[in-house]
Amino acid sequence: MRQAFPSCVIPDDTSRLAKEDVTAAAARKELVGLSEADIRMGAGFPSATADVGSSGQIWTYQRTVQRGNLSIAVPTMAVGAIPAVGGSVNVAPGGYCNTQIRMLDGHVAEVAYAGDNNLPNSRDALCVSTVDACVAYARQHRSSAPAVSR
């Protein structure tokens, strides 16, 4: 009989345990309203686009992240009445992210993420490299925008 030690196991899907990366979360809100040109300046040209009729276009940015993996495997062994102990741990695994930006009338309407993009302590963390420059631009642009008088 194998016994699991839940505190030592990192699940593949951390979405219920980890919080969303702060930059990825900020992008969901702060990119809304930016123009197509603004997004191209921050994220580059999309890997793919899809026309979704009256819902606009979806721009997809595909990023594959290869990282140095540290994989430790402990052989399973049992000694007499002591239960079997063993397992493995992966640290800093690679993955991929598809950042999807929905454009409506030439401006960002929505940002979403898909793929194997979680790290053990942070959801959507592998998507940050796509949107971080856009978030910085949005913050700078909004803070330097002239005040509108009414």
Side-chain angles (χ1 to χ4, degrees):
M1 177 176 152
R2 266 182 97 158
Q3 227 176 8
F5 296 98
S7 63
C8 297
V9 176
I10 299 172
D12 290 337
D13 177 12
T14 59
S15 60
R16 294 181 311 276
L17 306 173
K19 293 185 180 187
E20 184 172 31
D21 179 89
V22 294
T23 303
R28 290 181 192 273
K29 296 176 184 170
E30 296 184 38
L31 299 190
V32 171
L34 290 182
S35 71
E36 291 180 359
D38 295 337
I39 295 299
R40 284 189 189 112
M41 288 299 292
F45 287 86
S47 307
T49 59
D51 187 2
V52 287
S54 62
S55 296
Q57 279 191 331
I58 296 175
W59 292 11
T60 300
Y61 290 85
Q62 299 171 331
R63 298 282 194 256
T64 300
V65 178
Q66 306 233 346
R67 301 191 181 226
N69 253 350
L70 171 62
S71 186
I72 302 169
V74 178
T76 303
M77 60 184 146
V79 179
I82 300 174
V85 177
S88 66
V89 175
N90 274 329
V91 179
Y96 70 95
C97 175
N98 291 334
T99 300
Q100 297 155 169
I101 300 175
R102 187 167 60 88
M103 294 291 184
L104 187 59
D105 298 325
H107 291 86
V108 176
E110 182 179 11
V111 176
Y113 308 106
D116 181 10
N117 54 19
N118 297 337
L119 291 179
N121 295 320
S122 186
R123 287 185 295 126
D124 299 329
L126 297 183
C127 303
V128 170
S129 64
T130 302
V131 296
D132 57 352
C134 295
V135 170
Y137 175 84
R139 289 175 178 169
Q140 179 183 17
H141 181 71
R142 289 198 173 97
S143 67
S144 64
V148 177
S149 58
R150 292 183 183 198

